[in-house]
Amino acid sequence: MSENGVASRRGKVLTLDTMNPRIKRVEYAVRGPIVQRAVQIEKELKEGAKKPFTEVIKANIGDAHAMGQQPITFFRQVMALCAYPELLNSSQFPEDAKNRAKTILQSCGGGSIGAYSASQGIEYVRQDVARYIEKRDNGIPSNPDNIYLSTGASDAIVTTLKLLMCGEGMSRTGVMIPIPQYPLYSAALAELGAVQVDYYLNEERCWSLDVSELRRSLEAARKHCNPRVLCIINPGNPTGQVQSRECIEEVIRFAAQERLFLMADEVYQDNVYADGCQFHSFKKVLFEMGPQYSDTLELVSYHSTSKCYMGECGFRGGYMEVINMDAEVKAQLTKLVSVRLCPPVPGQVMMDLVANTPQPGDPSHSTFIKEKSATLNTLAERARLTEEILNTVPGIQCNPVQGAMYSFPRITIPERAVQKAKEKGQAPDMFYCMNLLEETGICVVPGSGFGQKEGTYHFRMTILPPTEKLKILLNKLKEFHLRFTQQYS
Amino acid sequence: MFSFREAWTVAPGGLCRTLHSVARRRPLRVPAMPVPAPLSLSFGRAPWWLSATRRSISCKMSENGVASRRGKVLTLDTMNPRIKRVEYAVRGPIVQRAVQIEKELKEGAKKPFTEVIKANIGDAHAMGQQPITFFRQVMALCAYPELLNSSQFPEDAKNRAKTILQSCGGGSIGAYSASQGIEYVRQDVARYIEKRDNGIPSNPDNIYLSTGASDAIVTTLKLLMCGEGMSRTGVMIPIPQYPLYSAALAELGAVQVDYYLNEERCWSLDVSELRRSLEAARKHCNPRVLCIINPGNPTGQVQSRECIEEVIRFAAQERLFLMADEVYQDNVYADGCQFHSFKKVLFEMGPQYSDTLELVSYHSTSKCYMGECGFRGGYMEVINMDAEVKAQLTKLVSVRLCPPVPGQVMMDLVANTPQPGDPSHSTFIKEKSATLNTLAERARLTEEILNTVPGIQCNPVQGAMYSFPRITIPERAVQKAKEKGQAPDMFYCMNLLEETGICVVPGSGFGQKEGTYHFRMTILPPTEKLKILLNKLKEFHLRFTQQYS
């Protein structure tokens, strides 16, 4: 009770009971309770606590540099030159890096990356991004006016979803997302009060997408909301599948027929490892299907600086390309992004570098190619290794990691462990992952955080740790699984 | 392929509309499509005269007749109605026109001026302000750690870069950080706040780094949204305000509760006005939040200590959650004015307030003497926030993974500047005070020159980066504006832009007392350019007044 008795008498203004109920429903497992516990354990280790391990391995998130991946030299040289243009006089930098930095600085207000940019992003960068897309898509034109730079892909995805929110009750916007999904989607939908409409990927067929399942899901949803949006993640997160061209065509036909707005999360577009798999952008397939589709279907595609071979997560760079968006809606989008002024300019610079890499003949070309392919080759090796080792464990089944950065193996959890988890009020795979963390220091995310078929259990782990460390991790995981299974059988 | 697209695109709206109705009644190809009820008539609802682009798009007809028969999935009629209500004048229609004029100039168009001066936004570097050397050196070292071996950098810059890199995952600013921000940076920010507030403790756990202050402000508001109808959260904001607030409230569906700053008393805040506003609001919503901008944007006033105390007492008494936007805390120019943080005053008022009042304070790398807007660095400090709510906040920010790490680095540098004895100290002090001195000079200059113009009244620019003068607009100009469907000060500013190339933002974008007109201009242009700008503005105003008298 304070002296004037005012505030204390009635407690806080903002409490769990009086806060935004939608925010309470938001969940984001990738940085959820298991990661909080991992951070705590790290502190305990630092303070000298005795554990059956000496370090925590955070395999919960696709954070390449944190796992020891080295940045691309050219990218960082240009970034340093942009940050401190005095270096343009230094002989320590190759000419192509200097020239690029000069061009970028010229496109910034006052020649400084400290100035705000246009809200849609620096025009020069958007031009480079458009050219990148054209090259990727065999020359299908891309208009810089359709490019919106963003604060990582997450920002662009949420912005698009915001536009699409409409109606109440039966007419509330429904958004179809894959299960398992990347939990940004469920979190954003909870926050925006949209109806989450699940469609299940087919684990038995390597997490493929069946249009019949899309149809089932859509028809079920139409009974209680207004499903208008279809989200696709390709290559898949957390599931690692790479969609075939035929499948993409079917999805496009389905979306056109059912009048769905298509969102294509393609941030892992360079992360394709499996033989016979190839990345096809939704945009390219859409335009190759002819004007009956490419003149009408509303599509937004997302990309980011955080994944692929560069893994520059901290810069929060990204873009979206909007196709066939209604002109008035686009004006509203431009207005909406202007409220936040602009995406971080260093992230925009990084996006430019990813879109416009050193070309043959440029001084930085050979180093760039060497660095890029070294990273992609080791990732391919780790993808194969992860699948191989996990599949030697009785009770773990792992689909091939065709792309992206994760393995999402299915685990058999003994009935007694399931019971034990229920007693503790935990999802069975959360119980499994917590035990794994406490016993081995390995931090992975339970499948329940991504969604999975009722009665099945999984976890997501990234394939990013250095190969030798990954082998140790996988073998520890194997031992743990056998021990856990025995303990609860 | 069946397509009249070419012909239809040029067709007058009426024809287009006719064809539409035909198509609707008798589709040309009839796939037996289930028609989801609520959406099917989207094009029918749009006024046909709205826009040519829209008509042509709506008239598109594809071979299978599916999408085109019913138009786009996402249209103005079927989009988020809250987003439609969002307005942000600082980058609104006037700035779009300014960008267009710049393009026209480039293409050789003849205008009564040779360049557009964008005085619409507080964008220091764009106006020629130079970055702080130490900040940029550390940034370059963090971006490309090879440079740690270079002799081109002072030791303190290298040491700082090393410390920062050690606090990043894998020693790289390319790694994600903790969602709340890098711990080392939050520690530096907490120490900065302690120093600023005469030693009042600050806990790094209460610091949340953010993507500019805007991000942190919107995040706080999100937490506070609750109820429907009469019980919907109301948020009190100053008028004039920085339009991020009105935009965020529109998007979140909160009730905007206006309180008016007192222009006659140098835009001061009167608690009696807060009370009037609150009581009026309680009749139709649940006002739970009070936002203060100090130093003021767009109004440039600096709140006195007494005034801050009164606001705190009022907020405690009325049980309001206090949001203190203090991003201009180093931008104080007027003699006798001083920045007092809400936190410092709160704690100096004793535990009866400091133990209970819920306060969030915001800061940013974009303003003050550094003006590093592009990095989108910022933080908020949360005081007395309920522990469970704080856990929800931490969860919420984790969804976006982390604020941009270069912005976090910049925030660290702003919080922890070179100290006496450090190799970079003297340069840093020189650069910082040079910038702040010129800003003070420009603030004075702007007030002085504007006040020489009959029909323009300008309060002293005590702080921040803007002047928000009141302008007299002749009745005939007001009429003319109404005919054009424009706010009178928008009409004024558009004329100013077309005739002089000067881009300022109409007062209507910030809110103002009914029947008064203003504009916001930044004081950032280089002094010589600013003089020219102000004199051009003066000439324009006289001409405009004469023309419409």
Side-chain angles (χ1 to χ4, degrees), chain A residues 120-123 125-127 129-131 133-134 140-150 156 160 283 286-287 294 297 299-303 318-327 329-331 333-334, chain B residues 57 60 72:
Chain A
Q120 196 173 345
I122 298 170
E123 195 173 354
V125 178
R126 290 190 284 114
Q127 285 165 354
V129 168
R131 274 192 293 261
I133 295 171
E134 286 178 358
I140 291 162
S142 171
N143 183 345
D145 286 348
N146 289 340
I147 309 294
Y148 287 76
L149 302 184
S150 61
T160 314
K283 186 185 173 199
L286 175 68
F287 278 76
S294 63
L297 192 89
L299 168 69
V300 184
S301 158
Y302 306 89
H303 196 16
Y319 76 78
M320 61 177 161
E321 183 184 26
V322 304
I323 315 283
N324 289 324
M325 183 173 270
D326 178 88
V329 174
K330 204 160 154 252
L333 169 60
T334 305
Chain B
I57 290 167
K60 277 184 188 175
K72 303 266 183 200

Side-chain angles (χ1 to χ4, degrees), chain A residues 12-13 20 31 65 76 83 112 114 117 119 162 165 191 257 259 295 298 313-314 324 335 341 345, chain B residues 5 33 72-73 80 86 91 125 136 143 172 174 177 222 225 251 319 358 373-374 384 395 401 405:
Chain A
K12 304 262 183 205
V13 177
N20 190 336
R31 292 205 153 180
H65 291 199
R76 293 307 195 88
S112 167
S117 76
S119 300
K162 273 184 192 170
M165 289 308 110
E191 186 184 328
Q257 202 172 28
R259 222 165 151 263
D295 281 357
E298 293 150 85
C313 318
N324 289 324
K335 177 193 72 179
L341 296 164
V345 175
Chain B
R5 209 168 89 227
M33 290 296 305
K72 303 266 183 200
V73 176
N80 190 335
V86 165
R91 292 204 152 181
H125 291 199
R136 294 307 194 87
S172 167
S177 77
K222 272 184 192 170
M225 290 307 109
E251 187 184 328
R319 225 169 148 257
E358 292 150 85
C373 318
N384 289 324
K395 177 193 73 180
L401 297 163
V405 175

Side-chain angles (χ1 to χ4, degrees), chain A residues 234-420:
Chain A
N234 177 49
N237 175 5
T239 39
Q241 82 285 11
V242 176
Q243 272 186 301
S244 70
R245 204 201 139 89
E246 292 66 43
C247 177
I248 294 173
E249 282 181 19
E250 281 175 43
V251 170
I252 289 173
R253 251 179 247 118
F254 175 79
Q257 202 172 28
E258 300 294 345
R259 222 165 151 263
L260 297 169
F261 187 104
L262 205 50
M263 292 172 61
D265 180 341
E266 299 177 321
V267 300
Y268 295 98
Q269 53 192 266
D270 287 339
N271 297 107
V272 175
Y273 316 116
D275 282 345
C277 282
Q278 199 191 330
F279 171 74
H280 300 277
S281 79
F282 265 78
K283 186 185 173 199
K284 188 190 76 177
V285 177
L286 175 68
F287 278 76
E288 287 173 356
M289 285 169 75
Q292 71 185 95
Y293 295 101
S294 63
D295 281 357
T296 55
L297 192 89
E298 293 150 85
L299 168 69
V300 184
S301 158
Y302 306 89
H303 196 16
S304 154
T305 62
S306 303
K307 309 298 167 188
C308 301
Y309 61 91
M310 53 281 181
E312 295 280 11
C313 318
F315 282 85
R316 314 306 296 123
Y319 76 78
M320 61 177 161
E321 183 184 26
V322 304
I323 315 283
N324 289 324
M325 183 173 270
D326 178 88
E328 285 170 324
V329 174
K330 204 160 154 252
Q332 293 283 329
L333 169 60
T334 305
K335 177 193 72 179
L336 179 62
V337 297
S338 79
V339 179
R340 294 296 186 87
L341 296 164
C342 67
V345 175
Q348 297 188 47
V349 172
M350 190 55 82
M351 196 69 248
D352 183 73
L353 298 168
V354 170
N356 183 0
T357 55
Q359 294 305 302
D362 293 350
S364 303
H365 181 256
S366 67
T367 308
F368 169 72
I369 293 295
K370 212 160 54 192
E371 292 173 340
K372 175 180 173 179
S373 41
T375 298
L376 289 177
N377 289 342
T378 53
L379 287 180
E381 188 193 349
R382 291 170 198 167
R384 198 185 37 75
L385 197 70
T386 305
E387 180 202 344
E388 256 179 39
I389 301 188
L390 287 178
N391 277 331
T392 64
V393 189
I396 297 187
Q397 274 172 288
C398 181
N399 270 322
V401 183
Q402 298 175 332
M405 291 183 172
Y406 315 97
S407 166
F408 195 69
R410 182 159 169 177
I411 46 177
T412 307
I413 298 184
E415 194 45 43
R416 273 186 51 223
V418 173
Q419 283 311 321
K420 183 87 186 226

Side-chain angles (χ1 to χ4, degrees), chain A residues 60-117:
Chain A
N60 59 298
I61 191 166
D63 192 354
H65 291 199
M67 288 292 177
Q69 185 180 308
Q70 291 306 303
I72 297 287
T73 304
F74 177 76
F75 293 0
R76 293 307 195 88
Q77 286 174 332
V78 176
M79 194 62 71
L81 289 160
C82 287
Y84 189 50
E86 299 284 310
L87 292 170
L88 288 167
N89 305 317
S90 154
S91 56
Q92 210 180 335
F93 292 86
E95 281 308 307
D96 53 351
K98 288 187 188 177
N99 289 336
R100 179 65 66 82
K102 279 182 213 160
T103 313
I104 290 172
L105 288 172
Q106 275 160 17
S107 68
C108 291
S112 167
I113 58 168
Y116 291 121
S117 76

Side-chain angles (χ1 to χ4, degrees), chain B residues 237-250:
Chain B
I237 62 170
I239 297 296
Q241 52 117 17
Y242 174 56
L244 166 70
Y245 291 92
S246 49
L249 298 181

Side-chain angles (χ1 to χ4, degrees), chain B residues 34-305:
Chain B
V35 179
L39 277 175
S40 55
L41 296 177
S42 66
F43 65 55
R45 271 192 244 140
W48 61 271
W49 62 87
L50 251 179
S51 90
T53 330
R54 183 186 169 85
R55 278 200 311 278
S56 72
I57 290 167
S58 299
C59 287
K60 277 184 188 175
M61 179 63 91
S62 75
E63 197 172 279
N64 67 357
V66 173
S68 61
R69 190 162 51 94
R70 289 172 296 175
K72 303 266 183 200
V73 176
L74 183 60
T75 65
L76 214 49
D77 294 324
T78 62
M79 71 171 277
N80 190 335
R82 288 178 178 176
I83 302 292
K84 281 192 274 187
R85 285 194 286 270
V86 165
E87 282 182 35
Y88 187 68
V90 173
R91 292 204 152 181
I94 195 124
V95 184
Q96 285 167 23
R97 179 62 191 137
V99 170
Q100 213 178 349
I101 291 179
E102 273 184 332
K103 280 201 177 157
E104 292 171 18
L105 282 174
K106 252 191 198 164
E107 289 158 6
K110 281 260 178 283
K111 303 265 177 197
F113 49 88
T114 53
E115 67 165 334
V116 171
I117 305 177
K118 286 195 202 142
N120 59 297
I121 192 166
D123 192 354
H125 291 199
M127 287 292 177
Q129 186 180 307
Q130 291 304 303
I132 299 287
T133 303
F134 177 76
F135 294 0
R136 294 307 194 87
Q137 285 174 333
V138 176
M139 194 63 70
L141 288 159
C142 288
Y144 189 51
E146 298 285 309
L147 292 170
L148 288 166
N149 305 317
S150 155
S151 56
Q152 212 181 333
F153 293 87
E155 282 308 308
D156 53 350
K158 287 187 189 175
N159 290 337
R160 179 65 66 82
K162 278 181 212 158
T163 313
I164 291 172
L165 288 173
Q166 275 160 18
S167 68
C168 292
S172 167
I173 57 170
Y176 290 121
S177 77
S179 300
Q180 197 172 345
I182 298 170
E183 194 172 354
Y184 168 75
V185 178
R186 290 190 285 114
Q187 285 165 355
D188 271 356
V189 168
R191 274 192 293 263
Y192 161 83
I193 295 172
E194 287 179 358
K195 208 166 148 190
R196 181 196 69 189
D197 292 343
N198 300 335
I200 291 163
S202 171
N203 183 345
D205 286 348
N206 290 339
I207 309 295
Y208 287 77
L209 302 184
S210 61
T211 309
S214 303
D215 169 44
I217 291 169
V218 175
T219 301
T220 315
L221 288 171
K222 272 184 192 170
L223 291 177
L224 285 152
M225 290 307 109
C226 195
E228 290 304 328
M230 281 284 292
S231 68
R232 186 67 181 165
T233 295
V235 179
M236 298 176 71
I237 62 170
I239 297 296
Q241 52 117 17
Y242 174 56
L244 166 70
Y245 291 92
S246 49
L249 298 181
E251 187 184 328
L252 295 170
V255 180
Q256 176 179 324
V257 177
D258 297 344
Y259 66 89
Y260 287 83
L261 300 176
N262 189 335
E263 182 167 15
E264 280 65 40
R265 291 179 46 213
C266 197
W267 296 115
S268 67
L269 191 163
D270 301 337
V271 169
S272 60
E273 167 60 13
L274 286 181
R275 198 170 304 279
R276 179 207 63 75
S277 157
L278 180 68
E279 275 161 20
R282 283 202 171 130
K283 294 186 185 117
H284 61 94
C285 70
N286 178 14
R288 325 165 59 197
V289 194
L290 172 57
C291 299
I292 306 278
I293 312 175
N294 177 49
N297 175 4
T299 40
Q301 82 285 11
V302 176
Q303 273 186 301
S304 70
R305 205 202 137 87

Side-chain angles (χ1 to χ4, degrees), chain B residues 453-464:
Chain B
V453 188
I456 297 188
Q457 274 172 287
C458 179
N459 271 320
V461 183
Q462 298 175 333

